[in-house]
Amino acid sequence: MIDTLLLGLAACRPDQIQTLLQFKNEFDSRGCNGSEYFKGVRCDNTTGAVTKLHLPSGCLNGILKPNSSLFGLHQLCSLDLSHNNFTSSSLPSGFGNLNRLVVLSLSSNGFIGQVPSSISNLSFLTDLNISHNELIGSFPHVWNLTKLSFLDLSHNHFSGTIPSSLLSMPFLSYLELSENYFTGSVEVPNSTSSSRLETLYLGHNHFDGQILEAVSKFITLKYLDLSFLNISYPIDLNLFSSLESLLNIDLSGTSISPVSLRSYLHFPLTMERLVLSDCDISEFPSFLKTLKNLELIDISHNKIKGKVPEWFWTLPHLIVVRLADNSLYGFEGSAEVLVNSSVQILSLASNQFKGPFPNPPRFINLLNARNNSFTGNIPLSTCNRSSFTLLILSYNNFTGPIPQCLSNFKIVKLRKNNLEGSIPDMFYVGASIQTLDFGYNQLTGKLPRSLLNCSFLQFLSVDNNIIKDTFPFWLKALPTLQVLTLSSNKFYGPISSSDQGHLVFPELRILDISHNNFGGSFPASYFVNWKALSLKMNEDGSIYMVYNKEAYKNVYYIYEDVIDLQNKGLFMEQTKVLTSYGAIDFSGNRFVGKIPESIGLLKALIALNLSNNAFTGHIPLSLENLTELESLDLSRNKLSGTIPNGLGSLSFLAYINVSHNQLKGEIPQGTQITGQSKSSFEGNAGLCGLPLEQSCFRSSVPAIQPKQKDLEEEEDKGEVLNWKAVAMGYGPGVLFGLAIAKLIASYKPEWLVKIIGAEKRKHR
Ligand SMILES: *[C@@H]1O[C@H](CO)[C@@H](O)[C@H](O)[C@H]1NC(C)=O
Ligand SMILES: *[C@@H]1O[C@H](CO)[C@@H](O)[C@H](O)[C@H]1NC(C)=O
Ligand SMILES: *[C@@H]1O[C@H](CO)[C@@H](O)[C@H](O)[C@H]1NC(C)=O
Ligand SMILES: *[C@@H]1O[C@H](CO)[C@@H](O)[C@H](O)[C@H]1NC(C)=O
Ligand SMILES: *[C@@H]1O[C@H](CO)[C@@H](O)[C@H](O)[C@H]1NC(C)=O
Ligand SMILES: *[C@@H]1O[C@H](CO)[C@@H](O)[C@H](O)[C@H]1NC(C)=O
Ligand SMILES: *[C@@H]1O[C@H](CO)[C@@H](O)[C@H](O)[C@H]1NC(C)=O
Ligand SMILES: *[C@@H]1O[C@H](CO)[C@@H](O)[C@H](O)[C@H]1NC(C)=O
Ligand SMILES: *[C@@H]1O[C@H](CO)[C@@H](O)[C@H](O)[C@H]1NC(C)=O
Ligand SMILES: *[C@@H]1O[C@H](CO)[C@@H](O)[C@H](O)[C@H]1NC(C)=O
Ligand SMILES: *[C@@H]1O[C@H](CO)[C@@H](O)[C@H](O)[C@H]1NC(C)=O
Ligand SMILES: *[C@@H]1O[C@H](CO)[C@@H](O)[C@H](O)[C@H]1NC(C)=O
């Protein structure tokens, strides 16, 4: 190993290499191997001293100590330790010793505490990045660093005001302070004519309204973020008329005066990207007409009513348009009004658009028109747009057939419309489709066998249609299929094939075949080869199935798969798919025989529903191994024997239902089980112990036959839980609200951690 290292380190003195190794050994560096570690090292070819150290991300874990050997590398010019893990370390004042530094990046490391004042010793510094940490205190002492050009303090907990001298720094061109707690305004230097400030990101702070006036003096600005500040009054866009070079501005979360939206003058005509989301805008802003360079416009989350004006689509450079979450109800112009527009990414989601959908723009790539009231057929011209990749028309009232050309797309979501006919059997070899969601339509026929050509398919949902077919064993050939929902159709026959005994879907995480006419029994080994569900992901694993997030980040669009998954006790309406966990729902079919013992191998399961079948035999002991399980429903079968004690120790189990079986003996006692409602155990003549009233110590227990109707109603109302609503802390309605309040009151908070953690991750 040493040989390959020396190749790149030929110029380095042995003592310097020694110091580098010492530094590495101060940490848990299992995350990186030797050759990676030294890849980012450069030494001066005359002195042999280390001048550059750029560690790969994830290399070092542990506390950065004040006496770290790092601070012995006095000749360092460029140091990049970003994306490592120094969680709970303070920034040692030793950085002040590295006074040759020109570039210093310590971002995304979990550093805490204040920035030491010794940083002001680094008088050669041009680039300083300490963003994405947990740093506190007032503005760091950087205004002495006269060469500073890039400064990024974003995503920390800094507070107080911006020092007046900061903006007179002669070379400062990039200043990013977003996501902190800075207050007040900034003092404008006597002359801004020598300022080189081009980028100023101040969003998500507590600056007050005066800062707008100040900012408007920096006429060199090109990129400006003033979103979500502490400004309570409507602002006048004319404030920015002096910023003649402005290309991007984000004013989201600030109310904008209606008058300035109507004016035709006084706004920088250079503008390429304009973000006015959440700005209390109630009419379509007509000043946009003059912004001929506009590439991206975001006016989502406002109160804009009426029709989208025809001139809007003639802006010559438009690429990204976000109009989501308004009250728009139509398009001015003919059905061809969009066709010649240069728009590639268009979001119209959650408006009140009605009538037929106009022919999409010629170069459309992504279209999201979810949650409107469009009617009529999906336009035929959809099929001759060669760059069309993502089509979301869910939650509308489209009728007629599904377009024939789906192979060209990556994502197609047509959920909750009134589409008819069968799914076109037209998928060709090499089709790029990843997600297909046809749930809640009127589709008939069989699953198209040509789906086998879709080797990238991850998500297939045809639930709540009228499809009549046997179980698609053949889909097991798809190497990446993660989610398959066939529920509430007319599927029939066995799901255990006699020639192989057990089913193998290598990546399957969610299988919902509930409410069909499936039947037959399972061999005990049925689940033995379900690899994906057998692996318990660690908490850092990606929770959401995120579609090509990187690729679309720059074009201002993030797509995530969503699914409706309904279990007794869990209800995930339009919640992101949890890819680190899994769910199986076989309920409402005609399965017989024993529940396969091998179910205990699926360690990533969080929901298991086998209710309303005719399973016999005992509850498998192996269920105690499903330690992530949050919902277990075995009700309305013919299960006998006792409830395994192990179930009492499943600490995430928020819902269990074994009612209406032939179980007997004592209900295992444990916090998760005694907290359940009585109805979860009723209808088993031989069961006793809490939460039932029958004590196990009485000799003869009269079997009470509960009124089944009432119980069901109670369950439906009381136990429904919306995961996302829980994560967000509020429910979309009284019905959910009740259930959530109950859950939060009665279950372990850990249960929510996974979901809340995931929500947070998304926002980071
Ligand atoms: C070390 O990292 C390099 C580059 O990423 C890689 O090619 C090599 O296989 C790794 N070696 C070990 C032992 O992990
Ligand atoms: C040292 O590096 C500089 C620039 O990288 C190069 O011009 C010079 O020739 C090198 N000197 C030696 C002795 O390798
Ligand atoms: C740093 O100090 C600690 C004690 O605080 C000591 O254990 C450690 O060896 C020192 N490390 C170095 C590199 O000097
Ligand atoms: C970072 O380190 C802390 C403390 O050692 C640890 O708890 C955490 O899991 C680590 N995070 C990552 C992403 O490695
Ligand atoms: C600043 O740098 C000088 C060397 O130029 C050094 O002697 C001094 O200790 C440093 N100060 C701090 C606070 O690190
Ligand atoms: C700023 O620099 C001057 C001289 O360059 C020095 O005297 C002063 O101590 C520095 N201030 C801080 C806060 O380091
Ligand atoms: C600072 O680091 C963060 C995270 O590593 C990165 O996203 C950001 O672009 C960097 N800032 C600058 C100015 O390069
Ligand atoms: C700015 O002008 C004020 C008075 O007009 C003066 O007192 C102050 O010294 C000036 N500041 C600088 C940095 O020139
Ligand atoms: C926000 O502004 C109001 C006055 O407009 C002020 O009273 C309040 O303290 C400010 N909040 C913060 C967090 O700065
Ligand atoms: C679109 O452009 C074509 C060719 O430039 C033109 O013939 C057609 O009339 C245009 N359509 C609309 C609706 O403007
Ligand atoms: C959808 O369209 C059908 C028939 O076209 C109509 O009966 C139904 O009311 C519509 N539903 C909604 C929600 O608009
Ligand atoms: C639970 O898992 C362990 C280890 O995988 C296994 O040894 C044990 O037999 C399982 N328990 C049951 C009841 O299947």
Side-chain angles (χ1 to χ4, degrees):
M1 184 177 84
I2 291 296
D3 285 350
T4 57
L5 293 184
L6 288 181
L7 223 59
L9 298 171
C12 300
R13 284 201 316 262
D15 69 288
Q16 295 283 294
I17 294 184
Q18 198 59 40
T19 309
L20 283 171
L21 284 171
Q22 255 173 33
F23 176 53
K24 182 166 176 259
N25 290 337
E26 289 165 24
F27 302 92
D28 170 359
S29 55
R30 274 171 297 183
C32 67
N33 66 33
S35 55
E36 272 179 81
Y37 178 74
F38 284 104
K39 218 182 256 171
V41 174
R42 290 291 173 277
C43 293
D44 184 288
N45 61 5
T46 54
T47 67
V50 177
T51 54
K52 177 180 157 189
L53 178 56
H54 286 198
L55 285 189
S57 50
C59 215
L60 304 182
N61 268 284
I63 301 284
L64 180 61
K65 298 201 185 73
N67 62 354
S68 168
S69 18
L70 176 70
F71 305 119
L73 299 169
H74 295 285
Q75 307 295 311
L76 270 176
C77 296
S78 181
L79 176 61
D80 184 352
L81 302 179
S82 55
H83 297 282
N84 282 283
N85 186 1
F86 303 115
T87 298
S88 310
S89 308
S90 312
L91 283 176
S93 64
F95 280 108
N97 288 329
L98 308 178
N99 56 11
R100 303 279 177 96
L101 278 177
V102 176
V103 174
L104 176 59
S105 181
L106 304 172
S107 65
S108 303
N109 271 316
F111 282 117
I112 59 167
Q114 305 200 356
V115 177
S117 60
S118 68
I119 198 130
S120 64
N121 222 13
L122 309 183
S123 54
F124 293 115
L125 215 53
T126 64
D127 291 33
L128 177 60
N129 191 347
I130 51 177
S131 68
H132 295 90
N133 284 296
E134 312 282 330
L135 297 168
I136 58 167
S138 54
F139 208 97
H141 284 242
V142 297
W143 48 91
N144 243 19
L145 311 180
T146 53
K147 295 204 163 66
L148 206 59
S149 166
F150 288 84
L151 178 59
D152 191 344
L153 307 183
S154 62
H155 296 267
N156 278 293
H157 310 301
F158 290 116
S159 53
T161 55
I162 300 187
S164 56
S165 42
L166 184 75
L167 294 171
S168 358
M169 293 174 70
F171 294 105
L172 195 64
S173 74
Y174 182 107
L175 179 58
E176 160 128 53
L177 306 178
S178 42
E179 307 255 1
N180 278 290
Y181 303 106
F182 288 117
T183 52
S185 175
V186 288
E187 218 161 289
V188 183
N190 288 353
S191 164
T192 56
S193 63
S194 62
S195 169
R196 302 190 185 197
L197 202 57
E198 287 193 349
T199 303
L200 184 57
Y201 292 149
L202 302 177
H204 294 270
N205 276 289
H206 299 319
F207 293 116
D208 62 39
Q210 285 173 0
I211 202 160
L212 301 175
E213 194 96 26
V215 160
S216 68
K217 300 277 180 357
F218 291 91
I219 55 168
T220 46
L221 280 174
K222 291 184 175 165
Y223 308 96
L224 184 54
D225 175 4
L226 297 169
S227 60
F228 299 99
L229 304 181
N230 186 20
I231 304 174
S232 49
Y233 51 87
I235 64 164
D236 182 351
L237 288 180
N238 287 314
L239 262 175
F240 303 102
S241 58
S242 52
L243 302 180
E244 290 171 353
S245 312
L246 203 59
L247 298 177
N248 291 8
I249 190 169
D250 186 345
L251 292 168
S252 298
T254 305
S255 157
I256 293 190
S257 90
V259 175
S260 66
L261 290 167
R262 264 178 240 144
S263 73
Y264 286 77
L265 292 167
H266 310 312
F267 200 68
L269 301 181
T270 44
M271 198 66 67
E272 292 175 352
R273 295 179 162 222
L274 179 58
V275 182
L276 300 175
S277 180
D278 236 327
C279 288
D280 276 332
I281 300 175
S282 57
E283 61 186 283
F284 206 92
S286 57
F287 78 96
L288 297 179
K289 209 183 274 192
T290 56
L291 303 183
K292 300 290 187 200
N293 291 330
L294 212 53
E295 292 174 1
L296 178 150
I297 171 78
D298 183 348
I299 45 176
S300 60
H301 297 279
N302 281 296
K303 302 164 185 161
I304 306 174
K305 290 188 271 294
K307 296 184 170 185
V308 185
E310 196 166 355
W311 56 258
F312 179 69
W313 308 106
T314 65
L315 290 170
H317 298 292
L318 269 190
I319 297 172
V320 183
V321 172
R322 301 199 73 223
L323 306 177
D325 286 301
N326 278 292
S327 302
L328 293 162
Y329 56 74
F331 300 90
E332 271 179 13
S334 71
E336 303 299 312
V337 66
L338 302 183
V339 174
N340 286 347
S341 165
S342 55
V343 171
Q344 295 174 21
I345 295 178
L346 177 58
S347 173
L348 307 169
S350 302
N351 275 285
Q352 289 156 22
F353 285 105
K354 53 189 186 221
F357 197 90
N359 286 319
R362 213 181 293 284
F363 304 108
I364 191 75
N365 182 344
L366 279 66
L367 171 64
N368 184 355
R370 181 183 187 278
N371 198 18
N372 280 288
S373 303
F374 285 112
T375 51
N377 287 9
I378 298 173
L380 283 176
S381 55
T382 300
C383 281
N384 60 20
R385 300 288 184 263
S386 59
S387 42
F388 221 155
T389 315
L390 187 150
L391 175 67
I392 303 180
L393 301 176
S394 307
Y395 298 84
N396 277 288
N397 205 358
F398 284 105
T399 48
I402 289 177
Q404 304 272 314
C405 58
L406 300 186
S407 286
N408 305 339
F409 290 85
K410 283 203 169 114
I411 310 277
V412 174
K413 297 172 73 80
L414 305 175
R415 192 174 196 77
K416 289 206 173 158
N417 280 288
N418 275 309
L419 299 167
E420 297 159 345
S422 56
I423 304 171
D425 200 359
M426 307 268 288
F427 295 97
Y428 53 70
V429 177
S432 42
I433 197 88
Q434 294 175 357
T435 292
L436 282 172
D437 188 352
F438 300 131
Y440 286 93
N441 280 289
Q442 314 290 331
L443 302 173
T444 50
K446 296 182 175 212
L447 282 182
R449 296 312 190 252
S450 61
L451 278 171
L452 263 184
N453 290 329
C454 306
S455 44
F456 301 105
L457 196 64
Q458 294 180 1
F459 183 110
L460 177 60
S461 178
V462 299
D463 59 297
N464 292 281
N465 279 290
I466 322 166
I467 296 172
K468 193 168 186 186
D469 201 350
T470 53
F471 186 78
F473 293 104
W474 42 276
L475 279 177
K476 73 185 177 196
L478 295 183
T480 58
L481 192 65
Q482 297 186 9
V483 176
L484 178 59
T485 66
L486 308 176
S487 62
S488 301
N489 275 287
K490 296 187 177 304
F491 284 96
Y492 60 93
I495 75 161
S496 175
S497 76
S498 52
D499 52 332
Q500 285 173 320
H502 35 69
L503 192 58
V504 185
F505 285 103
E507 293 296 328
L508 201 64
R509 298 198 152 270
I510 293 182
L511 177 59
D512 183 355
I513 58 169
S514 61
H515 303 287
N516 278 292
N517 295 318
F518 289 118
S521 61
F522 300 89
S525 60
Y526 188 70
F527 294 107
V528 164
N529 288 322
W530 288 38
K531 296 255 162 32
L533 276 175
S534 308
L535 300 171
K536 196 152 79 181
M537 295 285 164
N538 59 26
E539 285 287 311
D540 303 331
S542 95
I543 303 261
Y544 296 145
M545 180 146 65
V546 176
Y547 166 71
N548 212 351
K549 191 170 182 171
E550 284 309 307
Y552 285 106
K553 201 165 62 184
N554 291 332
V555 289
Y556 211 80
Y557 201 98
I558 293 176
Y559 171 78
E560 288 164 342
D561 272 327
V562 289
I563 189 178
D564 291 0
L565 243 194
Q566 199 163 359
N567 288 288
K568 279 263 171 60
L570 291 180
F571 183 68
M572 296 185 276
E573 168 95 15
Q574 288 301 314
T575 296
K576 283 111 197 153
V577 174
L578 299 155
T579 48
S580 294
Y581 301 97
I584 286 181
D585 191 344
F586 287 180
S587 66
N589 281 289
R590 299 170 184 177
F591 293 119
V592 296
K594 289 187 172 171
I595 299 173
E597 192 74 28
S598 55
I599 190 82
L601 297 172
L602 309 185
K603 297 202 167 36
L605 270 193
I606 54 171
L608 176 63
N609 189 348
L610 303 177
S611 67
N612 281 291
N613 279 290
F615 283 112
T616 51
H618 295 230
I619 296 178
L621 291 177
S622 65
L623 285 181
E624 74 181 40
N625 271 348
L626 301 182
T627 51
E628 300 290 327
L629 209 57
E630 293 170 14
S631 169
L632 174 63
D633 193 344
L634 304 175
S635 64
R636 293 177 196 276
N637 278 290
K638 296 176 177 162
L639 298 168
S640 54
T642 57
I643 302 176
N645 271 323
L647 290 188
S649 59
L650 295 178
S651 53
F652 291 129
L653 202 59
Y655 178 83
I656 181 172
N657 192 346
V658 294
S659 64
H660 303 282
N661 278 291
Q662 291 146 23
L663 298 167
K664 61 175 202 282
E666 190 177 0
I667 297 171
Q669 300 299 297
T671 3
Q672 298 304 102
I673 285 192
T674 18
Q676 301 292 324
S677 87
K678 240 189 297 180
S679 60
S680 291
F681 298 93
E682 279 171 342
N684 290 287
L687 274 186
C688 61
L690 287 174
L692 293 180
E693 273 145 22
Q694 293 94 324
S695 157
C696 296
F697 303 109
R698 250 182 273 153
S699 50
S700 73
V701 180
I704 298 164
Q705 196 58 43
K707 276 190 277 166
Q708 292 190 359
K709 190 97 199 311
D710 292 352
L711 283 176
E712 268 170 34
E713 267 169 24
E714 187 192 319
E715 266 166 21
D716 286 349
K717 284 190 185 138
E719 302 291 344
V720 170
L721 158 69
N722 180 304
W723 285 23
K724 186 164 185 192
V726 171
M728 291 163 65
Y730 61 84
V734 179
L735 190 140
F736 289 152
L738 278 174
I740 289 150
K742 184 177 165 197
L743 257 144
I744 289 172
S746 52
Y747 298 116
K748 286 190 169 188
E750 287 94 309
W751 186 76
L752 301 174
V753 165
K754 271 182 256 174
I755 299 162
I756 293 169
E759 282 286 323
K760 275 197 197 134
R761 238 184 297 276
K762 198 188 82 183
H763 294 297
R764 267 266 135 178

